[in-house]
Amino acid sequence: MTGRLLVATPSLEGAEFRRTVVLLLDHTADGGAFGVVVNRPTTTDVETVLPAWQPFTTAPGRLFRGGPVGLDTALGLVAVPGDGPEPLGVRRLVGSLGVVDLDAPPEVVAPGVGGLRIFAGYAGWSAGQLEGEVEEGSWYVVDGEAGDAFTDAPEGLWASVLRRQPGRLAWVASYPEDPSLN
């Protein structure tokens, strides 16, 4: 499932993952899964924690809460245009998505990338855990689009991703925040 999106179903009520969209960065049958929540910007500018990277971040230029694990760590996600070689300091994961070494000089990396987001923390699952959550109905697993991780409207990404899905799944995009008020 590497490179795919996990979209929280309405039944996933916990505050940590409610209406989240997770980009899976790695998934193996025996090693578990790892990804970042791409629709939870914080109010903290990247400049506060990584000032050299601020001028190169994609709007809104804020640190994103990547998940509940490792909140004291930062991960840089980039879009690498074209099929050429990876820019210095970037490791391509899948398609145009890659991770950036945040210890690399941003002035060297930035010209070779088309988008940059910085995440505090990540979401992780042990072997078989994510598959169990998908089976119990906590997540929809869908294909992402190149711009999902770098959208300028991250707060609306949950509905946007669902709206473009085929069939009845698109209807879930209009699921009310509080169905008891419906």
Side-chain angles (χ1 to χ4, degrees):
M1 291 192 283
T2 299
R4 298 192 77 198
L5 297 176
L6 299 176
V7 181
T9 68
S11 68
L12 190 55
E13 287 294 323
E16 193 63 53
F17 287 111
R18 187 172 195 275
R19 293 195 178 217
T20 58
V21 178
V22 177
L23 172 62
L24 282 177
L25 302 177
D26 189 37
H27 178 254
T28 60
D30 57 347
F34 160 79
V36 289
V37 176
V38 293
N39 65 327
R40 292 277 169 91
T42 68
T43 57
T44 304
D45 286 336
V46 168
E47 183 175 50
T48 305
V49 291
L50 293 165
W53 287 97
Q54 180 70 47
F56 306 104
T57 59
T58 303
R62 299 226 170 89
L63 193 63
F64 277 64
R65 183 176 168 104
V69 182
L71 291 173
D72 59 344
T73 61
L75 181 139
L77 187 64
V78 295
V80 182
D83 294 328
E86 301 164 337
L88 183 66
V90 172
R91 182 173 56 90
R92 196 182 298 254
L93 295 173
V94 61
S96 65
L97 290 170
V99 292
V100 63
D101 177 359
L102 295 172
D103 291 327
E107 303 79 24
V108 172
V109 176
V113 300
L116 167 70
R117 285 269 160 86
I118 308 289
F119 298 87
Y122 60 92
W125 294 265
S126 60
Q129 183 182 5
L130 177 58
E131 292 82 353
E133 290 181 15
V134 169
E135 192 172 301
E136 72 185 16
S138 295
W139 300 101
Y140 301 118
V141 181
V142 301
D143 291 330
E145 291 183 356
D148 287 340
F150 306 101
T151 179
D152 58 356
E155 294 88 351
L157 189 60
W158 183 84
S160 174
V161 168
L162 287 170
R163 203 172 295 115
R164 70 177 187 237
Q165 299 309 308
R168 294 181 180 205
L169 187 53
W171 295 356
V172 179
S174 60
Y175 194 86
E177 284 282 338
D178 185 352
S180 68
L181 298 176
N182 198 5

